[in-house]
Amino acid sequence: KDNNYILQYGSCTKNQMALCLTEVDEEWKEYFRRAVVSMRDYDSSFVGEDVKRSKLVNYFVKVIGGESTIEATTKMSSWSAPSCDNILLFMPSVSEHATIENQLNSYVLAAIAATFMNLSMVILDAPKDFDGFTSSQFGCSDALKKAPPGLSGIVKSPKWLSNNCAAPCQDSHGYREWDDLRRIASYSIPETVCFNEGRQSKVFVMGGDDIQKYLESRLKDQMAQRPSPVAYDWASRLGASAEEAEIFSQLNGNTQVWDYLGALVARSNLFQFQPWILNDVASYMKQSGVPNAASIKRGKGRKEWTVDAIQIQRGDELLSNPKAVQFMSSYWDAHGGYDSEKHNYIPVDHYLREYLSQYKCSRKIRKVYIATSDVKNTKKELSTVGSKDGKGKVKIGCTTFQFVFPPTPSKKERKLSGCAERYSRTVNSIAHFIIFSSAKTFIGDVNSDLGRLVRTFRLKLNEKKSGGNNKPVLLYRTKAVFGKISSLLK
C-alpha cells in the first residue's frame, strides 16, 4: 500500500521475469505535475470536478510533491516556457588551466542566466580533436573513452534546463563557427539568428570564461532589481513553489537575491553527475572511510549524512590565495612573528578551535573527514591533541572524535602522470565537493572556486522560520577559516 513507481514498457516486457520499474525521481514528478495541471484545466465532460479532486488524484498529488508544487507548475504554465527556438548555448572552457571546480561554477552561473532570460540551455563541448586536443581536459579513464567529450562527460544537464534541445543550427554552425561568435561576443553576448530545421532560432552563445563577466556587467543589477516583472517566474523555473516565488520576488539586495538563488539551485537536480563519475567518487569515499559512500548512488540528501568535514590547505594551496596569505601573516604575527619561509600553513589547532565552536558536548562519536594534501604532518599535529583510546578515536573535551583521511595513493597511483593524473584530480575534486556540501559541518576555504560552490550547495530555504530566525535563507553549519564568506558570483 502507498508504494509508488513508474511502470515502464517496451523491451523490458519481453522478459517475464523482469520488473519494469523505475523510481519516481524529480524529473518524473515534474512530468506528472504538468499532467495534473493539464487535467484540472481541461474543460470536458469526460473529466468532471469529482475526478479532478478525487482521493486517487489527491494521493497522486501528494506523491509528486503536494499542492504547493502543483501551484508552482500551474503558474509556470502561464508564462511562455523556453523552447528550442530560444537558446543559451554554453561553451565550457577548453583551457587546460580550467579546473573542474571552475567549470562547475561557470555551469551553475550559465544555468542561472538561462533561467533568468527564459532560454533553453544547451552545452556545446569542444570535440576531442579540437585544436590538437587528443584527450579530455578532465583526464583519461576507461569510463571516459565512451563518454561525451568535455563537461558533458562529467555532468548530465537536466531536462528542465535543456528542454531536450540539441545544438542549434547544425547545418550552418559547427563548433568552430560558434566559437568564433563567442570570441566576438565576449562582454556583449549579442543574439545570433539562424535556422534550425527550417525554423528560425535565436541563440545567445556564452563561454565558460565569459559568463562571470557577462553577469557582472549586464545581468547582476537586473537580477536584483525590485519590483521585478520576471522574478516570480524566474524562481518558478528553478523549482520554487508559489509561496517561495512570491518571497523571492520581494527580496532586495544582491546578497539576499543570490543566496535565495543558491538555495533553489542547491535543492534542484542541476548537478546530475554521470554514473561512471559517481562510481569512481563512491570508490574514493569508501577508501577514505567516509560512511556515506553508498548513498552517493542512491541520491540521498543531507539528512542521511553523519560525517563532518575540515579542509586543511597547505603550501602552494595557501600561498596562491592572497586572503590566505594575509590571514597567515596576521596569525603568525600574533604567535611570535611571521616568517614566510617557515609559515606556509595554518596550524591544525586553529581549524579545531573553529570546528569545536560549532558544537556542544555530544555522546555520539563524531566522524570527521580531514581533507588535506599533507596527511603526514596533519596527523602529527593531531597526535598532540586530546586523549587517545588506542582504537583510532580521540576525546577532546567532552566529545569523542574519529578522524579519517583521503586514501593513501598506491604505487601505481603515485606514478600517474598527464591525462590519467588529471582524471584522478577530477574525481578527488568532485568527491570533496560532495563531501563538503553534504557534511553536517564544514570548516574550510569558502572563497576559492570549490569553496564558493560548496557554500552555494550548503544553503537552504528557511521553511520553518523557528527560534525567531526570520531570514529567508540559512547557511548550514559552515565556517570560513579565512576571509569573508562570498556568494557564487564573486
Side-chain angles (χ1 to χ4, degrees), residues 45-168:
S45 58
F46 290 104
V47 185
E49 290 302 318
D50 54 338
V51 173
K52 295 177 182 180
R53 301 291 173 180
S54 65
K55 286 185 178 181
L56 179 60
V57 171
N58 287 339
Y59 169 71
F60 196 56
V61 168
K62 180 181 177 181
V63 167
I64 58 180
E67 288 291 348
S68 63
T69 61
I70 298 296
E71 289 176 20
T73 301
T74 302
K75 181 70 179 179
M76 287 172 69
S77 66
S78 67
W79 40 256
S80 176
S83 70
C84 297
D85 295 338
N86 298 280
I87 287 177
L88 188 154
L89 189 65
F90 176 58
M91 303 180 69
S93 173
V94 295
S95 168
E96 62 181 12
H97 302 295
T99 63
I100 182 63
E101 300 96 328
N102 175 269
Q103 296 278 42
L104 292 177
N105 268 285
S106 297
Y107 169 69
V108 173
L109 292 177
I112 288 174
T115 51
F116 176 73
M117 300 166 74
N118 198 19
L119 303 172
S120 298
M121 184 175 123
V122 175
I123 299 176
L124 182 62
D125 287 293
K128 290 183 178 179
D129 58 351
F130 180 71
D131 279 359
F133 284 101
T134 57
S135 62
S136 168
Q137 65 194 116
F138 303 117
C140 306
S141 74
D142 290 340
L144 286 184
K145 288 180 180 177
K146 297 181 180 179
L151 188 62
S152 297
I154 307 295
V155 175
K156 181 174 68 173
S157 186
K159 292 178 183 177
W160 59 264
L161 183 62
S162 68
N163 290 292
N164 286 334
C165 298

Side-chain angles (χ1 to χ4, degrees), residues 280-294:
D280 290 336
V281 166
S283 175
Y284 174 93
M285 290 170 61
K286 186 176 181 181
Q287 292 177 59
S288 302
V290 176
N292 306 91

Side-chain angles (χ1 to χ4, degrees), residues 37 45 108 111 126 148 157 201 238-239 247 262 283 289 333 343 377 380 409 434 489:
V37 170
S45 58
V108 173
S157 186
S201 290
L238 286 167
I247 292 172
S283 175
D333 279 342
H343 300 145
N377 285 316
K380 183 178 179 180
I434 292 174
L489 193 64

Side-chain angles (χ1 to χ4, degrees), residues 340-370:
S340 59
E341 294 295 325
K342 296 179 180 179
H343 300 145
N344 63 346
Y345 70 100
I346 300 169
V348 169
D349 184 60
H350 176 73
Y351 289 89
L352 285 178
R353 280 200 303 271
E354 296 294 331
Y355 171 61
L356 294 172
S357 70
Q358 301 293 303
Y359 283 106
K360 297 179 181 179
C361 289
S362 174
R363 293 182 179 179
K364 295 181 179 179
I365 297 173
R366 302 209 63 84
K367 182 166 279 193
V368 185
Y369 175 74
I370 305 288

Side-chain angles (χ1 to χ4, degrees), residues 181-458:
L181 286 170
R182 177 194 66 78
R183 294 170 188 273
I184 295 170
S186 188
Y187 284 81
S188 58
I189 320 291
E191 67 179 42
T192 297
V193 178
C194 56
F195 285 90
N196 208 21
E197 296 182 350
R199 292 175 61 91
Q200 180 175 288
S201 290
K202 295 180 180 178
V203 183
F204 292 81
V205 58
M206 294 189 191
D209 299 325
D210 311 321
I211 184 66
Q212 178 89 29
K213 301 172 187 174
Y214 184 68
L215 282 169
E216 286 279 6
S217 63
R218 294 300 183 96
L219 295 184
K220 183 178 177 180
D221 291 340
Q222 294 180 47
M223 289 173 166
Q225 181 182 339
R226 297 295 184 275
S228 167
V230 300
Y232 187 103
D233 291 347
W234 181 22
S236 297
R237 293 181 200 116
L238 286 167
S241 67
E243 180 182 359
E244 291 164 352
E246 186 63 34
I247 292 172
F248 179 70
S249 69
Q250 302 299 320
L251 293 178
N252 286 302
N254 279 317
T255 299
Q256 287 199 66
V257 167
W258 277 91
D259 279 356
Y260 208 92
L261 284 172
L264 290 175
V265 166
R267 194 180 64 180
S268 74
N269 61 342
L270 180 63
F271 272 8
Q272 297 181 23
F273 289 108
Q274 296 285 17
W276 46 86
I277 296 296
L278 290 180
N279 282 337
D280 290 336
V281 166
S283 175
Y284 174 93
M285 290 170 61
K286 186 176 181 181
Q287 292 177 59
S288 302
V290 176
N292 306 91
S295 69
I296 291 300
K297 296 179 183 179
R298 301 202 307 271
K300 298 295 183 181
R302 182 180 293 142
K303 290 182 179 179
E304 186 175 318
W305 284 67
T306 56
V307 69
D308 298 324
I310 301 177
Q311 179 192 25
I312 298 179
Q313 297 172 304
R314 302 212 155 167
D316 291 342
E317 292 176 310
L318 288 180
L319 295 176
S320 61
N321 186 329
K323 292 180 180 179
V325 172
Q326 183 180 5
F327 179 83
M328 279 191 296
S329 175
S330 300
Y331 178 90
W332 287 110
D333 279 342
H335 292 78
Y338 175 59
D339 185 332
S340 59
E341 294 295 325
K342 296 179 180 179
H343 300 145
N344 63 346
Y345 70 100
I346 300 169
V348 169
D349 184 60
H350 176 73
Y351 289 89
L352 285 178
R353 280 200 303 271
E354 296 294 331
Y355 171 61
L356 294 172
S357 70
Q358 301 293 303
Y359 283 106
K360 297 179 181 179
C361 289
S362 174
R363 293 182 179 179
K364 295 181 179 179
I365 297 173
R366 302 209 63 84
K367 182 166 279 193
V368 185
Y369 175 74
I370 305 288
T372 180
S373 58
D374 187 11
V375 174
K376 181 180 178 180
N377 285 316
T378 301
K379 285 184 175 180
K380 183 178 179 180
E381 288 182 61
L382 281 172
S383 68
T384 65
V385 177
S387 56
K388 316 297 186 294
D389 70 348
K391 299 179 181 179
K393 298 179 181 63
V394 181
K395 189 170 185 179
I396 304 175
C398 50
T399 304
T400 300
F401 300 91
Q402 181 180 7
F403 298 109
V404 295
F405 294 84
T408 302
S410 63
K411 287 184 179 180
K412 181 180 178 180
E413 289 170 328
R414 285 196 292 269
K415 292 180 180 179
L416 291 178
S417 61
C419 200
E421 196 271 335
R422 286 204 308 274
Y423 181 72
S424 178
R425 287 203 312 267
T426 296
V427 170
N428 294 358
S429 295
I430 294 173
H432 282 160
F433 162 68
I434 292 174
I435 295 170
F436 294 168
S437 59
S438 302
K440 288 290 185 182
T441 298
F442 172 67
I443 309 295
D445 174 16
V446 292
N447 295 285
S448 63
D449 285 329
L450 175 60
R452 286 193 302 277
L453 205 60
V454 168
R455 180 193 179 275
T456 297
F457 279 77
R458 292 186 68 80

Side-chain angles (χ1 to χ4, degrees), residues 9-37:
Y9 63 91
S11 60
C12 76
T13 57
K14 295 178 181 178
N15 180 358
Q16 294 182 354
M17 299 301 293
L19 290 175
C20 306
L21 310 178
T22 187
E23 293 183 5
V24 186
D25 60 17
E26 186 56 35
E27 286 195 41
W28 276 114
K29 287 180 181 178
E30 182 56 30
Y31 177 89
F32 287 113
R33 285 177 199 133
R34 293 174 184 270
V36 170
V37 170

